[in-house]
Amino acid sequence: MARRVENLAEWGRRITGGLRSEALDSPDPRLDGLIAELDGQLSVVSPSASHLGFAVPLRVRVPEGGVAPHQHSHLVRHHR
């Protein structure tokens, strides 16, 4: 699946950012390990001009060509 996600690094960094927030609220060495593992698989990205700051749409390449934006964006809760 990962090879079909056009914006994997941007979307993945949003996911790991949410996990980091969870780790601050509820420390767990297993969660820290998961975050480190995921970080090792994602390239470094700078926010694009279309960066919303609170949601990142998942853009998946479809067999017919082009990209189909996923209807649900990953929203990260901040508990502070």
Side-chain angles (χ1 to χ4, degrees), residues 33-59:
L34 174 62
I35 294 167
E37 180 181 341
L38 293 173
D39 276 342
Q41 297 176 23
L42 299 170
S43 57
V44 176
V45 294
S46 298
S48 67
S50 62
H51 180 71
L52 299 173
F54 63 89
V56 176
L58 177 62
R59 298 177 50 85

Side-chain angles (χ1 to χ4, degrees), residues 68-80:
H70 191 276
Q71 294 300 314
H72 301 284
S73 298
H74 173 74
L75 300 178
V76 176
R77 297 178 309 181
H78 293 284
H79 300 287
R80 295 172 224 258

